[in-house]
Amino acid sequence: MFSVTYPIKYNDLDKNMVLKPSVLFEFLEDIAAQNANELKFGYDDIYSKNYGWFLLKYAIEFENYPEKISNLRLETQSRGANKLFAFRDF
């Protein structure tokens, strides 16, 4: 399991002090990229092979959506692959 704690800035929250969805998606892309780097499948590892990756589809369920927080700890791990697609849990 790979984890990162992100500090939450005032402008990451909406007027009700709830984390903006766009910020959450930025964090998810960032932690996926960091984990890919650690697994030797990051940008520097795949660029020379003319490969690439991107997050294509999300399925998200929340027990509690982040609000009134100063830090957010996210965890992720690869869940395997099948030919063209790889799967990741957060």
Side-chain angles (χ1 to χ4, degrees):
M1 185 73 67
F2 184 82
S3 68
V4 175
T5 299
Y6 293 92
I8 304 301
K9 302 179 299 280
Y10 178 75
N11 62 326
D12 293 336
L13 306 171
D14 68 13
K15 65 179 181 171
N16 298 313
M17 302 303 286
V18 176
L19 185 67
K20 294 176 185 174
S22 60
V23 173
L24 177 60
F25 285 111
E26 287 177 26
F27 290 162
L28 295 177
E29 286 184 18
D30 180 70
I31 192 173
Q34 287 189 53
N35 188 222
N37 285 332
E38 183 180 81
L39 297 172
K40 302 297 183 212
F41 198 71
Y43 177 80
D44 292 336
D45 301 296
I46 64 175
Y47 178 77
S48 63
K49 299 174 185 171
N50 291 321
Y51 293 152
W53 67 263
F54 55 93
L55 299 177
L56 179 65
K57 185 177 180 181
Y58 296 90
I60 299 177
E61 294 180 25
F62 294 97
E63 291 179 18
N64 296 302
Y65 192 81
E67 59 182 61
K68 298 178 183 171
I69 58 173
S70 58
N71 293 295
L72 179 64
R73 182 173 183 262
L74 294 175
E75 297 179 340
T76 188
Q77 66 181 6
S78 174
R79 192 168 31 105
N82 91 20
K83 296 187 182 182
L84 184 59
F85 297 100
F87 304 95
R88 172 171 294 281
D89 291 328
F90 294 93

